[in-house]
Amino acid sequence: MSRPVTLFTGQWADLPFREVARMAADWGYDGLEIACWGDHLDVWRAAEDPAYLQSRKDILAEYGLGVWAISNHLKGQAVCDDPIDARHRAIVSDRVWGDGDPEGVRQRAAEEMKHTARAAAGLGVRTVVGFTGSAVWKYVAMFPPVGQEVIDAGYQDFADRWNPILDVFDAEGVRFALEVHPSEIAYDYWSTVRTLEAIGHREAFGLNWDPSHMVWQDIDPAGFLLDFRDRIYHVDCKDTKRNTGDGRNGRLGSHLAWGDPRRGWDFVSTGRGDVPWEKCFRVLNHIGYDGPVSIEWEDAGMDRLRGAPESLAYVRDRLFDPPSASFDAAFSTPR
């Protein structure tokens, strides 16, 4: 099986794509999960310039790297979000933002996600990782009281906006893997069930398993793999450390900045948090996942130039293949 270990480039998009490729190769990564921002991958340019995708392939080949997935979290977020505001202006391109009219932003973000499927196909990649946004995340506290019809309308809005996008994914032979994450239409077990139901369990839509978002919600990340085994289209390795033992630090973060020691939890370099990695890797073997394992490095308290190679070493040490035969097969004696 020997799954490739890749580096997600989203946290490195301030650097040129070539520089990130060089560093990843020097550290020993097998490839990159390419972010569709910075200068790493421009899917509009890919749609307009036939030579552009070849330039990305040439850089990967120069450094001996593969690509099994690309990611477009930022534009996917704008497809369903309500409100659309200054937060989105900071993460979407001028082309998607346009005049800032919220519905126009959503429509242009949807077009970018369609181009993302086409770019993935052009790169020979089968999986796009990303976010969906959500019209109902703002109601997570359910107060002032929210009627069930409002929540129902939010899931219908998701289906109405994403089904046409997924039609393009189907046409291109590409799958979308939603990173289950607070602020998305699916953020825990039950909201994931509801999301899959909303789009009729169509094959083009699956999940990116990132356990860091589950740990602080008290969701068992290994159990999630078992529950949604047929929808695990991609795996990201990111870690979370809980810090709620003193009775002050809440799980919702208290509007404190990343890295503030008063937070109830924080993202940390892979292997330094509370994700039960070995248990999860054993479950990945059990469910037959053979795709890439991508390190999404985030740690407000550590330099990334240390964290990225350290995380790679940690994951490689624990990411073993399943056995080729049962250990007790040797007990049988030929007759």
Side-chain angles (χ1 to χ4, degrees):
M1 188 178 289
S2 296
R3 290 151 294 208
V5 182
T6 62
L7 178 67
F8 175 47
T9 72
Q11 288 76 23
W12 307 78
D14 57 314
L15 301 176
F17 182 61
R18 180 182 294 278
E19 176 65 7
V20 177
R22 181 193 65 77
M23 291 192 298
D26 287 347
W27 290 325
Y29 281 90
D30 298 312
L32 300 176
E33 176 193 345
I34 306 175
C36 298
W37 56 91
D39 88 326
H40 294 193
L41 184 59
D42 182 338
V43 299
W44 293 90
R45 183 175 174 187
E48 297 163 355
D49 179 0
Y52 175 70
L53 289 180
Q54 188 60 48
S55 73
R56 306 295 94 181
K57 294 178 182 179
D58 290 346
I59 291 172
L60 292 168
E62 181 179 348
Y63 293 101
L65 297 171
V67 57
W68 291 266
I70 64 175
S71 295
N72 204 346
H73 296 68
L74 304 185
K75 307 343 178 298
Q77 185 70 41
V79 173
C80 287
D81 263 7
D82 182 16
I84 296 289
D85 55 29
R87 299 168 302 158
H88 301 85
R89 181 65 189 97
I91 65 172
V92 303
S93 65
D94 291 342
R95 189 164 192 167
V96 170
W97 183 257
D99 61 3
D101 173 70
E103 186 55 28
V105 172
R106 295 184 192 104
Q107 293 293 334
R108 289 185 290 274
E111 286 304 307
E112 173 149 339
M113 297 310 297
K114 295 174 184 177
H115 284 317
T116 305
R118 298 177 183 116
L123 286 169
V125 167
R126 194 181 173 207
T127 304
V128 171
V129 181
F131 290 153
T132 58
S134 171
V136 294
W137 170 252
K138 59 182 178 284
Y139 302 126
V140 68
M142 299 296 278
F143 188 86
V146 180
Q148 186 59 47
E149 70 279 3
V150 175
I151 305 303
D152 293 345
Y155 280 93
Q156 186 61 54
D157 178 74
F158 155 72
D160 292 344
R161 293 183 186 278
W162 275 89
N163 272 321
I165 298 171
L166 295 173
D167 289 343
V168 177
F169 274 74
D170 277 334
E172 297 293 339
V174 176
R175 309 176 302 180
F176 182 76
L178 167 63
E179 184 171 331
V180 178
H181 183 298
S183 79
E184 307 312 315
I185 197 67
Y187 56 90
D188 61 9
Y189 173 85
W190 293 112
S191 58
T192 300
V193 169
R194 181 73 189 270
T195 296
L196 294 172
E197 290 173 347
I199 54 166
H201 295 270
R202 59 185 299 177
E203 290 294 324
F205 189 93
L207 308 173
N208 177 55
W209 178 79
D210 181 338
S212 67
H213 309 297
M214 300 176 188
V215 165
W216 68 267
Q217 296 185 78
D218 285 333
I219 298 166
D220 175 12
F224 192 93
L225 288 171
L226 290 169
D227 288 334
F228 297 103
R229 65 180 69 195
D230 64 329
R231 292 293 162 151
I232 304 301
Y233 290 173
H234 191 261
V235 164
D236 272 351
C237 287
K238 192 168 71 177
D239 217 332
T240 291
K241 186 69 177 176
R242 291 184 292 247
N243 181 35
T244 55
D246 72 350
R248 296 189 183 97
N249 306 343
R251 294 198 184 277
L252 297 184
S254 308
H255 293 299
L256 296 170
W258 301 115
D260 190 311
R262 298 171 295 170
R263 283 181 58 88
W265 62 275
D266 226 325
F267 296 129
V268 293
S269 193
T270 306
R272 292 180 175 269
D274 295 319
V275 174
W277 289 109
E278 181 170 330
K279 178 182 179 182
C280 292
F281 289 156
R282 286 179 180 270
V283 174
L284 284 174
N285 285 342
H286 176 74
I287 67 174
Y289 176 80
D290 61 0
V293 172
S294 187
I295 291 173
E296 183 181 1
W297 184 84
E298 290 185 5
D299 189 326
M302 179 186 288
D303 189 279
R304 62 186 177 179
L305 296 180
R306 170 171 176 167
E310 176 186 284
S311 296
L312 174 63
Y314 180 89
V315 169
R316 282 209 191 282
D317 186 52
R318 288 157 180 81
L319 192 66
F320 47 82
D321 284 346
S324 58
S326 173
F327 73 88
D328 57 0
F331 298 162
S332 299
T333 303
R335 300 184 186 279

